[in-house]
Amino acid sequence: MFLFFLKWSFVIYFVNPSAKVQSPQQPQPSFPADVIEKAQYLAQFGDQEQKALGLIFLNRHDEADKIIQDLKNKSGNPIDEAFKLCMMEGNNWYQARQFDKAIPAYEKAVALKADDIDARSDLAFMLAMAHQGDPNVNHARAIEVVTK
């Protein structure tokens, strides 16, 4: 339940136009102290996936990405696990507002589960927000992703 709260807390913060950008190493002050403490606890004591989620919440995206990459490179990941890790990687870069880095992760997630609406909508959103490449091509591709 807490991990679900963390993910959607990020989304709410991102779409709030009045939210202020904090320094990269500090969690958003609008979160209750106990939530920040739980994220710190996960980052320090959780399993690898929990550590990555805690680090994402704490805006320590490069550290989170290293853990995610290590998890992705483990041999024998079933499709569901590989999909989940790709989504986590995309969410990490989305939270860091590095949309171009999120695109390949979401593309891999869509390749693994083409019917997953979250993966498709996340990819389309990242394409629409991308800073690299031709914006017209990116927007056309975003529309294609959501209308397939």
Short mmCIF file of all heavy atoms in Angstrom, two decimals, residues 79-144:
data_model
loop_
_atom_site.label_atom_id
_atom_site.label_comp_id
_atom_site.label_asym_id
_atom_site.label_seq_id
_atom_site.Cartn_x
_atom_site.Cartn_y
_atom_site.Cartn_z
N ILE A 79 8.74 -12.59 -17.78
CA ILE A 79 8.20 -11.42 -18.47
C ILE A 79 7.57 -10.44 -17.49
O ILE A 79 7.79 -9.24 -17.60
CB ILE A 79 7.20 -11.85 -19.57
CG1 ILE A 79 7.96 -12.50 -20.72
CG2 ILE A 79 6.39 -10.66 -20.06
CD1 ILE A 79 7.10 -13.04 -21.82
N ASP A 80 6.79 -10.92 -16.54
CA ASP A 80 6.14 -10.01 -15.60
C ASP A 80 7.16 -9.22 -14.79
O ASP A 80 6.98 -8.02 -14.56
CB ASP A 80 5.22 -10.78 -14.64
CG ASP A 80 3.95 -11.26 -15.32
OD1 ASP A 80 3.59 -10.71 -16.38
OD2 ASP A 80 3.32 -12.19 -14.79
N GLU A 81 8.23 -9.86 -14.37
CA GLU A 81 9.27 -9.16 -13.59
C GLU A 81 10.01 -8.17 -14.48
O GLU A 81 10.27 -7.04 -14.07
CB GLU A 81 10.24 -10.17 -12.98
CG GLU A 81 11.29 -9.56 -12.11
CD GLU A 81 10.74 -8.94 -10.82
OE1 GLU A 81 9.60 -9.23 -10.42
OE2 GLU A 81 11.49 -8.14 -10.23
N ALA A 82 10.36 -8.58 -15.69
CA ALA A 82 11.05 -7.67 -16.62
C ALA A 82 10.17 -6.47 -16.94
O ALA A 82 10.66 -5.33 -16.98
CB ALA A 82 11.43 -8.42 -17.90
N PHE A 83 8.89 -6.71 -17.15
CA PHE A 83 7.94 -5.62 -17.42
C PHE A 83 7.90 -4.64 -16.24
O PHE A 83 8.00 -3.42 -16.42
CB PHE A 83 6.54 -6.20 -17.68
CG PHE A 83 5.47 -5.15 -17.77
CD1 PHE A 83 5.30 -4.43 -18.93
CD2 PHE A 83 4.65 -4.88 -16.69
CE1 PHE A 83 4.32 -3.45 -19.03
CE2 PHE A 83 3.68 -3.90 -16.77
CZ PHE A 83 3.51 -3.19 -17.94
N LYS A 84 7.79 -5.18 -15.05
CA LYS A 84 7.71 -4.34 -13.84
C LYS A 84 8.97 -3.49 -13.70
O LYS A 84 8.90 -2.30 -13.36
CB LYS A 84 7.50 -5.22 -12.62
CG LYS A 84 7.35 -4.45 -11.32
CD LYS A 84 6.93 -5.34 -10.17
CE LYS A 84 8.04 -6.28 -9.80
NZ LYS A 84 7.81 -7.02 -8.57
N LEU A 85 10.13 -4.07 -13.98
CA LEU A 85 11.39 -3.34 -13.87
C LEU A 85 11.50 -2.25 -14.94
O LEU A 85 11.99 -1.15 -14.66
CB LEU A 85 12.57 -4.29 -13.95
CG LEU A 85 12.71 -5.23 -12.76
CD1 LEU A 85 13.76 -6.30 -13.04
CD2 LEU A 85 13.04 -4.46 -11.49
N CYS A 86 11.03 -2.53 -16.14
CA CYS A 86 11.03 -1.50 -17.19
C CYS A 86 10.11 -0.34 -16.81
O CYS A 86 10.46 0.82 -17.00
CB CYS A 86 10.59 -2.10 -18.53
SG CYS A 86 11.81 -3.19 -19.26
N MET A 87 8.97 -0.66 -16.25
CA MET A 87 8.06 0.40 -15.81
C MET A 87 8.69 1.20 -14.67
O MET A 87 8.58 2.43 -14.63
CB MET A 87 6.71 -0.19 -15.37
CG MET A 87 5.89 -0.76 -16.52
SD MET A 87 5.35 0.49 -17.70
CE MET A 87 4.15 1.39 -16.72
N MET A 88 9.37 0.52 -13.76
CA MET A 88 10.02 1.21 -12.65
C MET A 88 11.11 2.15 -13.19
O MET A 88 11.24 3.29 -12.74
CB MET A 88 10.63 0.21 -11.66
CG MET A 88 11.23 0.88 -10.43
SD MET A 88 12.11 -0.26 -9.33
CE MET A 88 10.81 -1.34 -8.81
N GLU A 89 11.87 1.67 -14.16
CA GLU A 89 12.92 2.50 -14.75
C GLU A 89 12.31 3.74 -15.42
O GLU A 89 12.79 4.86 -15.23
CB GLU A 89 13.72 1.69 -15.76
CG GLU A 89 14.81 2.49 -16.44
CD GLU A 89 15.55 1.69 -17.51
OE1 GLU A 89 15.10 0.58 -17.87
OE2 GLU A 89 16.58 2.19 -17.97
N GLY A 90 11.25 3.53 -16.19
CA GLY A 90 10.58 4.66 -16.84
C GLY A 90 10.04 5.64 -15.82
O GLY A 90 10.17 6.86 -15.97
N ASN A 91 9.43 5.12 -14.76
CA ASN A 91 8.88 5.98 -13.71
C ASN A 91 9.98 6.77 -13.01
O ASN A 91 9.78 7.93 -12.64
CB ASN A 91 8.10 5.16 -12.69
CG ASN A 91 6.83 4.57 -13.28
OD1 ASN A 91 6.34 5.02 -14.30
ND2 ASN A 91 6.31 3.54 -12.64
N ASN A 92 11.14 6.15 -12.84
CA ASN A 92 12.27 6.85 -12.23
C ASN A 92 12.64 8.08 -13.05
O ASN A 92 12.75 9.18 -12.52
CB ASN A 92 13.47 5.90 -12.11
CG ASN A 92 14.70 6.58 -11.53
OD1 ASN A 92 14.62 7.29 -10.54
ND2 ASN A 92 15.83 6.36 -12.16
N TRP A 93 12.83 7.90 -14.34
CA TRP A 93 13.24 9.03 -15.18
C TRP A 93 12.10 10.02 -15.36
O TRP A 93 12.34 11.22 -15.50
CB TRP A 93 13.78 8.54 -16.51
CG TRP A 93 15.06 7.79 -16.32
CD1 TRP A 93 15.34 6.50 -16.70
CD2 TRP A 93 16.24 8.27 -15.66
NE1 TRP A 93 16.60 6.16 -16.30
CE2 TRP A 93 17.19 7.22 -15.67
CE3 TRP A 93 16.59 9.46 -15.04
CZ2 TRP A 93 18.45 7.36 -15.11
CZ3 TRP A 93 17.85 9.59 -14.48
CH2 TRP A 93 18.77 8.54 -14.52
N TYR A 94 10.87 9.55 -15.33
CA TYR A 94 9.72 10.45 -15.36
C TYR A 94 9.74 11.37 -14.14
O TYR A 94 9.58 12.58 -14.26
CB TYR A 94 8.43 9.63 -15.41
CG TYR A 94 7.18 10.38 -15.05
CD1 TYR A 94 6.62 11.29 -15.93
CD2 TYR A 94 6.55 10.18 -13.83
CE1 TYR A 94 5.46 11.98 -15.61
CE2 TYR A 94 5.39 10.86 -13.49
CZ TYR A 94 4.85 11.76 -14.39
OH TYR A 94 3.72 12.44 -14.06
N GLN A 95 9.97 10.80 -12.97
CA GLN A 95 10.01 11.59 -11.75
C GLN A 95 11.18 12.58 -11.76
O GLN A 95 11.09 13.65 -11.18
CB GLN A 95 10.10 10.69 -10.51
CG GLN A 95 8.86 9.88 -10.28
CD GLN A 95 7.62 10.72 -10.21
OE1 GLN A 95 7.60 11.77 -9.59
NE2 GLN A 95 6.56 10.28 -10.87
N ALA A 96 12.28 12.22 -12.41
CA ALA A 96 13.43 13.09 -12.52
C ALA A 96 13.23 14.14 -13.63
O ALA A 96 14.09 14.97 -13.85
CB ALA A 96 14.69 12.28 -12.81
N ARG A 97 12.10 14.06 -14.30
CA ARG A 97 11.76 14.94 -15.43
C ARG A 97 12.78 14.84 -16.56
O ARG A 97 13.05 15.81 -17.26
CB ARG A 97 11.59 16.37 -14.95
CG ARG A 97 10.40 16.51 -14.04
CD ARG A 97 10.07 17.95 -13.75
NE ARG A 97 8.78 17.97 -13.04
CZ ARG A 97 8.64 18.45 -11.83
NH1 ARG A 97 9.65 18.98 -11.20
NH2 ARG A 97 7.47 18.43 -11.25
N GLN A 98 13.32 13.63 -16.72
CA GLN A 98 14.22 13.34 -17.82
C GLN A 98 13.46 12.43 -18.78
O GLN A 98 13.71 11.23 -18.87
CB GLN A 98 15.51 12.71 -17.30
CG GLN A 98 16.30 13.68 -16.43
CD GLN A 98 17.64 13.12 -16.02
OE1 GLN A 98 18.28 12.37 -16.77
NE2 GLN A 98 18.09 13.49 -14.84
N PHE A 99 12.53 13.04 -19.48
CA PHE A 99 11.56 12.29 -20.28
C PHE A 99 12.22 11.48 -21.39
O PHE A 99 11.78 10.37 -21.69
CB PHE A 99 10.52 13.26 -20.86
CG PHE A 99 9.87 14.12 -19.82
CD1 PHE A 99 9.92 15.50 -19.91
CD2 PHE A 99 9.23 13.54 -18.73
CE1 PHE A 99 9.32 16.29 -18.94
CE2 PHE A 99 8.63 14.33 -17.75
CZ PHE A 99 8.68 15.71 -17.86
N ASP A 100 13.28 12.01 -21.99
CA ASP A 100 13.93 11.27 -23.06
C ASP A 100 14.57 9.98 -22.57
O ASP A 100 14.63 9.00 -23.31
CB ASP A 100 14.98 12.16 -23.74
CG ASP A 100 14.33 13.36 -24.42
OD1 ASP A 100 13.58 13.15 -25.38
OD2 ASP A 100 14.55 14.50 -23.96
N LYS A 101 15.03 9.96 -21.32
CA LYS A 101 15.59 8.73 -20.75
C LYS A 101 14.49 7.72 -20.41
O LYS A 101 14.75 6.53 -20.34
CB LYS A 101 16.39 9.04 -19.48
CG LYS A 101 17.73 9.67 -19.74
CD LYS A 101 18.50 9.80 -18.43
CE LYS A 101 19.91 10.27 -18.64
NZ LYS A 101 20.66 10.35 -17.38
N ALA A 102 13.28 8.20 -20.18
CA ALA A 102 12.18 7.30 -19.84
C ALA A 102 11.65 6.55 -21.05
O ALA A 102 11.13 5.44 -20.92
CB ALA A 102 11.05 8.09 -19.18
N ILE A 103 11.78 7.14 -22.22
CA ILE A 103 11.18 6.55 -23.44
C ILE A 103 11.66 5.13 -23.70
O ILE A 103 10.82 4.23 -23.90
CB ILE A 103 11.39 7.48 -24.65
CG1 ILE A 103 10.54 8.74 -24.47
CG2 ILE A 103 11.03 6.76 -25.96
CD1 ILE A 103 10.81 9.83 -25.49
N PRO A 104 12.97 4.84 -23.72
CA PRO A 104 13.39 3.46 -24.02
C PRO A 104 12.84 2.43 -23.01
O PRO A 104 12.50 1.32 -23.40
CB PRO A 104 14.92 3.52 -23.96
CG PRO A 104 15.27 4.95 -24.16
CD PRO A 104 14.13 5.74 -23.60
N ALA A 105 12.76 2.83 -21.76
CA ALA A 105 12.24 1.90 -20.75
C ALA A 105 10.76 1.60 -21.01
O ALA A 105 10.34 0.43 -20.96
CB ALA A 105 12.42 2.49 -19.35
N TYR A 106 9.98 2.62 -21.28
CA TYR A 106 8.56 2.40 -21.57
C TYR A 106 8.38 1.65 -22.89
O TYR A 106 7.46 0.85 -23.03
CB TYR A 106 7.80 3.72 -21.59
CG TYR A 106 7.59 4.34 -20.23
CD1 TYR A 106 7.87 5.67 -20.00
CD2 TYR A 106 7.12 3.59 -19.15
CE1 TYR A 106 7.67 6.25 -18.75
CE2 TYR A 106 6.92 4.16 -17.91
CZ TYR A 106 7.20 5.49 -17.71
OH TYR A 106 7.00 6.06 -16.48
N GLU A 107 9.25 1.88 -23.86
CA GLU A 107 9.17 1.13 -25.12
C GLU A 107 9.38 -0.36 -24.87
O GLU A 107 8.69 -1.20 -25.45
CB GLU A 107 10.20 1.65 -26.12
CG GLU A 107 9.82 2.98 -26.73
CD GLU A 107 10.89 3.55 -27.64
OE1 GLU A 107 12.10 3.29 -27.40
OE2 GLU A 107 10.51 4.28 -28.57
N LYS A 108 10.35 -0.69 -24.00
CA LYS A 108 10.59 -2.09 -23.66
C LYS A 108 9.38 -2.69 -22.93
O LYS A 108 9.00 -3.83 -23.18
CB LYS A 108 11.84 -2.23 -22.80
CG LYS A 108 13.12 -1.96 -23.55
CD LYS A 108 14.32 -1.98 -22.63
CE LYS A 108 15.55 -1.49 -23.36
NZ LYS A 108 16.68 -1.25 -22.44
N ALA A 109 8.78 -1.91 -22.05
CA ALA A 109 7.60 -2.39 -21.32
C ALA A 109 6.46 -2.68 -22.30
O ALA A 109 5.79 -3.70 -22.19
CB ALA A 109 7.17 -1.37 -20.28
N VAL A 110 6.25 -1.79 -23.26
CA VAL A 110 5.19 -1.99 -24.26
C VAL A 110 5.52 -3.21 -25.13
O VAL A 110 4.62 -3.98 -25.48
CB VAL A 110 4.98 -0.72 -25.12
CG1 VAL A 110 4.10 -1.00 -26.32
CG2 VAL A 110 4.41 0.40 -24.26
N ALA A 111 6.79 -3.40 -25.44
CA ALA A 111 7.17 -4.58 -26.22
C ALA A 111 6.88 -5.87 -25.46
O ALA A 111 6.49 -6.88 -26.05
CB ALA A 111 8.65 -4.51 -26.59
N LEU A 112 7.04 -5.84 -24.14
CA LEU A 112 6.77 -7.02 -23.33
C LEU A 112 5.28 -7.27 -23.13
O LEU A 112 4.83 -8.41 -23.10
CB LEU A 112 7.45 -6.89 -21.95
CG LEU A 112 8.97 -6.98 -21.97
CD1 LEU A 112 9.55 -6.54 -20.63
CD2 LEU A 112 9.42 -8.39 -22.31
N LYS A 113 4.51 -6.19 -22.97
CA LYS A 113 3.07 -6.31 -22.74
C LYS A 113 2.36 -5.22 -23.54
O LYS A 113 2.03 -4.15 -23.02
CB LYS A 113 2.73 -6.17 -21.26
CG LYS A 113 3.18 -7.33 -20.41
CD LYS A 113 2.60 -7.21 -19.02
CE LYS A 113 2.94 -8.44 -18.20
NZ LYS A 113 2.29 -8.39 -16.88
N ALA A 114 2.12 -5.51 -24.80
CA ALA A 114 1.56 -4.51 -25.72
C ALA A 114 0.16 -4.04 -25.32
O ALA A 114 -0.25 -2.94 -25.68
CB ALA A 114 1.54 -5.06 -27.14
N ASP A 115 -0.57 -4.85 -24.58
CA ASP A 115 -1.94 -4.48 -24.21
C ASP A 115 -2.03 -3.73 -22.89
O ASP A 115 -3.13 -3.35 -22.48
CB ASP A 115 -2.83 -5.74 -24.14
CG ASP A 115 -3.03 -6.37 -25.50
OD1 ASP A 115 -2.93 -5.64 -26.51
OD2 ASP A 115 -3.28 -7.58 -25.55
N ASP A 116 -0.91 -3.49 -22.23
CA ASP A 116 -0.95 -2.80 -20.94
C ASP A 116 -1.18 -1.31 -21.16
O ASP A 116 -0.34 -0.61 -21.74
CB ASP A 116 0.35 -3.03 -20.17
CG ASP A 116 0.25 -2.49 -18.76
OD1 ASP A 116 0.57 -1.30 -18.56
OD2 ASP A 116 -0.15 -3.26 -17.87
N ILE A 117 -2.31 -0.82 -20.69
CA ILE A 117 -2.71 0.57 -20.93
C ILE A 117 -1.79 1.54 -20.20
O ILE A 117 -1.51 2.63 -20.71
CB ILE A 117 -4.20 0.80 -20.57
CG1 ILE A 117 -4.67 2.16 -21.08
CG2 ILE A 117 -4.44 0.68 -19.09
CD1 ILE A 117 -4.72 2.28 -22.57
N ASP A 118 -1.31 1.18 -19.02
CA ASP A 118 -0.40 2.07 -18.30
C ASP A 118 0.90 2.26 -19.07
O ASP A 118 1.39 3.38 -19.19
CB ASP A 118 -0.10 1.55 -16.89
CG ASP A 118 -1.29 1.68 -15.95
OD1 ASP A 118 -2.10 2.60 -16.15
OD2 ASP A 118 -1.38 0.87 -15.01
N ALA A 119 1.47 1.19 -19.55
CA ALA A 119 2.72 1.28 -20.30
C ALA A 119 2.53 2.11 -21.57
O ALA A 119 3.35 2.97 -21.89
CB ALA A 119 3.23 -0.12 -20.65
N ARG A 120 1.43 1.87 -22.26
CA ARG A 120 1.17 2.62 -23.50
C ARG A 120 0.93 4.10 -23.22
O ARG A 120 1.46 4.96 -23.92
CB ARG A 120 0.00 2.00 -24.24
CG ARG A 120 0.32 0.62 -24.79
CD ARG A 120 -0.94 -0.15 -25.18
NE ARG A 120 -1.74 0.53 -26.14
CZ ARG A 120 -1.77 0.26 -27.44
NH1 ARG A 120 -1.01 -0.70 -27.91
NH2 ARG A 120 -2.55 0.92 -28.24
N SER A 121 0.15 4.41 -22.21
CA SER A 121 -0.13 5.82 -21.93
C SER A 121 1.12 6.52 -21.39
O SER A 121 1.37 7.69 -21.73
CB SER A 121 -1.30 5.97 -20.96
OG SER A 121 -1.02 5.36 -19.73
N ASP A 122 1.93 5.82 -20.58
CA ASP A 122 3.17 6.41 -20.09
C ASP A 122 4.13 6.70 -21.25
O ASP A 122 4.75 7.77 -21.31
CB ASP A 122 3.86 5.50 -19.07
CG ASP A 122 3.11 5.45 -17.73
OD1 ASP A 122 2.19 6.26 -17.52
OD2 ASP A 122 3.45 4.57 -16.91
N LEU A 123 4.24 5.75 -22.17
CA LEU A 123 5.10 5.96 -23.34
C LEU A 123 4.59 7.13 -24.17
O LEU A 123 5.38 8.00 -24.57
CB LEU A 123 5.17 4.69 -24.19
CG LEU A 123 5.92 4.82 -25.53
CD1 LEU A 123 7.36 5.30 -25.30
CD2 LEU A 123 5.89 3.50 -26.28
N ALA A 124 3.30 7.19 -24.41
CA ALA A 124 2.74 8.29 -25.21
C ALA A 124 3.01 9.63 -24.54
O ALA A 124 3.38 10.60 -25.21
CB ALA A 124 1.24 8.08 -25.40
N PHE A 125 2.84 9.69 -23.23
CA PHE A 125 3.08 10.94 -22.51
C PHE A 125 4.55 11.36 -22.62
O PHE A 125 4.86 12.53 -22.83
CB PHE A 125 2.65 10.80 -21.05
CG PHE A 125 2.77 12.07 -20.27
CD1 PHE A 125 1.99 13.17 -20.56
CD2 PHE A 125 3.69 12.17 -19.24
CE1 PHE A 125 2.11 14.35 -19.85
CE2 PHE A 125 3.82 13.34 -18.52
CZ PHE A 125 3.02 14.43 -18.82
N MET A 126 5.46 10.39 -22.47
CA MET A 126 6.89 10.72 -22.56
C MET A 126 7.25 11.19 -23.97
O MET A 126 8.04 12.12 -24.12
CB MET A 126 7.76 9.51 -22.19
CG MET A 126 7.69 9.11 -20.73
SD MET A 126 8.11 10.42 -19.58
CE MET A 126 6.48 10.88 -19.01
N LEU A 127 6.65 10.57 -24.97
CA LEU A 127 6.91 11.02 -26.34
C LEU A 127 6.42 12.45 -26.54
O LEU A 127 7.08 13.25 -27.19
CB LEU A 127 6.23 10.08 -27.34
CG LEU A 127 6.88 8.71 -27.49
CD1 LEU A 127 5.95 7.75 -28.22
CD2 LEU A 127 8.22 8.83 -28.21
N ALA A 128 5.28 12.77 -25.98
CA ALA A 128 4.74 14.13 -26.10
C ALA A 128 5.61 15.14 -25.36
O ALA A 128 5.68 16.30 -25.76
CB ALA A 128 3.31 14.17 -25.58
N MET A 129 6.27 14.71 -24.31
CA MET A 129 7.08 15.62 -23.48
C MET A 129 8.56 15.62 -23.88
O MET A 129 9.33 16.40 -23.35
CB MET A 129 6.97 15.22 -22.01
CG MET A 129 5.58 15.29 -21.44
SD MET A 129 4.91 16.95 -21.42
CE MET A 129 5.95 17.70 -20.18
N ALA A 130 8.94 14.76 -24.82
CA ALA A 130 10.35 14.59 -25.18
C ALA A 130 10.97 15.89 -25.68
O ALA A 130 10.31 16.70 -26.34
CB ALA A 130 10.49 13.50 -26.25
N HIS A 131 12.24 16.06 -25.35
CA HIS A 131 12.98 17.24 -25.77
C HIS A 131 13.84 16.95 -27.00
O HIS A 131 14.26 17.86 -27.68
CB HIS A 131 13.89 17.73 -24.64
CG HIS A 131 13.12 18.14 -23.43
ND1 HIS A 131 12.29 19.24 -23.40
CD2 HIS A 131 13.04 17.59 -22.21
CE1 HIS A 131 11.74 19.36 -22.21
NE2 HIS A 131 12.18 18.36 -21.45
N GLN A 132 14.14 15.68 -27.24
CA GLN A 132 14.99 15.31 -28.36
C GLN A 132 14.13 14.87 -29.54
O GLN A 132 13.02 14.39 -29.38
CB GLN A 132 15.94 14.18 -27.97
CG GLN A 132 16.91 14.60 -26.88
CD GLN A 132 17.81 13.46 -26.45
OE1 GLN A 132 17.67 12.32 -26.89
NE2 GLN A 132 18.75 13.76 -25.57
N GLY A 133 14.68 15.02 -30.72
CA GLY A 133 13.98 14.60 -31.92
C GLY A 133 12.97 15.63 -32.40
O GLY A 133 12.77 16.68 -31.79
N ASP A 134 12.32 15.32 -33.49
CA ASP A 134 11.33 16.21 -34.11
C ASP A 134 10.03 16.12 -33.31
O ASP A 134 9.44 15.04 -33.20
CB ASP A 134 11.11 15.77 -35.55
CG ASP A 134 10.12 16.62 -36.30
OD1 ASP A 134 9.36 17.39 -35.67
OD2 ASP A 134 10.11 16.52 -37.54
N PRO A 135 9.56 17.23 -32.76
CA PRO A 135 8.32 17.20 -31.97
C PRO A 135 7.12 16.66 -32.75
O PRO A 135 6.29 15.96 -32.19
CB PRO A 135 8.10 18.66 -31.57
CG PRO A 135 9.41 19.32 -31.73
CD PRO A 135 10.16 18.56 -32.78
N ASN A 136 7.05 16.95 -34.05
CA ASN A 136 5.92 16.45 -34.85
C ASN A 136 5.95 14.94 -34.97
O ASN A 136 4.92 14.28 -34.88
CB ASN A 136 5.92 17.10 -36.23
CG ASN A 136 5.63 18.59 -36.16
OD1 ASN A 136 4.86 19.04 -35.33
ND2 ASN A 136 6.27 19.36 -37.03
N VAL A 137 7.14 14.40 -35.14
CA VAL A 137 7.29 12.93 -35.22
C VAL A 137 6.96 12.31 -33.88
O VAL A 137 6.25 11.30 -33.80
CB VAL A 137 8.73 12.56 -35.68
CG1 VAL A 137 8.95 11.06 -35.58
CG2 VAL A 137 8.97 13.05 -37.10
N ASN A 138 7.46 12.91 -32.79
CA ASN A 138 7.19 12.38 -31.46
C ASN A 138 5.69 12.40 -31.16
O ASN A 138 5.15 11.43 -30.61
CB ASN A 138 7.94 13.18 -30.39
CG ASN A 138 9.43 12.92 -30.42
OD1 ASN A 138 9.89 11.94 -30.96
ND2 ASN A 138 10.19 13.83 -29.84
N HIS A 139 5.02 13.49 -31.49
CA HIS A 139 3.57 13.58 -31.22
C HIS A 139 2.78 12.58 -32.07
O HIS A 139 1.84 11.95 -31.58
CB HIS A 139 3.07 15.00 -31.46
CG HIS A 139 3.59 15.97 -30.44
ND1 HIS A 139 3.59 17.32 -30.63
CD2 HIS A 139 4.13 15.78 -29.21
CE1 HIS A 139 4.11 17.92 -29.58
NE2 HIS A 139 4.45 17.00 -28.70
N ALA A 140 3.18 12.42 -33.33
CA ALA A 140 2.51 11.44 -34.18
C ALA A 140 2.71 10.03 -33.63
O ALA A 140 1.78 9.21 -33.62
CB ALA A 140 3.05 11.54 -35.61
N ARG A 141 3.91 9.77 -33.17
CA ARG A 141 4.19 8.44 -32.58
C ARG A 141 3.40 8.23 -31.29
O ARG A 141 2.91 7.13 -31.04
CB ARG A 141 5.69 8.33 -32.32
CG ARG A 141 6.12 6.92 -32.05
CD ARG A 141 7.60 6.73 -32.28
NE ARG A 141 7.96 5.56 -31.53
CZ ARG A 141 8.86 5.53 -30.56
NH1 ARG A 141 9.52 6.61 -30.23
NH2 ARG A 141 9.09 4.42 -29.92
N ALA A 142 3.24 9.28 -30.49
CA ALA A 142 2.45 9.18 -29.27
C ALA A 142 1.01 8.84 -29.60
O ALA A 142 0.41 7.98 -28.94
CB ALA A 142 2.53 10.51 -28.50
N ILE A 143 0.46 9.47 -30.60
CA ILE A 143 -0.91 9.17 -31.01
C ILE A 143 -1.02 7.74 -31.50
O ILE A 143 -1.96 7.03 -31.17
CB ILE A 143 -1.37 10.17 -32.10
CG1 ILE A 143 -1.50 11.57 -31.49
CG2 ILE A 143 -2.68 9.72 -32.75
CD1 ILE A 143 -1.67 12.68 -32.49
N GLU A 144 -0.03 7.29 -32.23
CA GLU A 144 -0.03 5.90 -32.73
C GLU A 144 0.00 4.91 -31.57
O GLU A 144 -0.71 3.90 -31.59
CB GLU A 144 1.18 5.69 -33.63
CG GLU A 144 1.29 4.27 -34.17
CD GLU A 144 2.56 4.06 -34.96
OE1 GLU A 144 3.11 5.05 -35.49
OE2 GLU A 144 3.00 2.91 -35.03
#
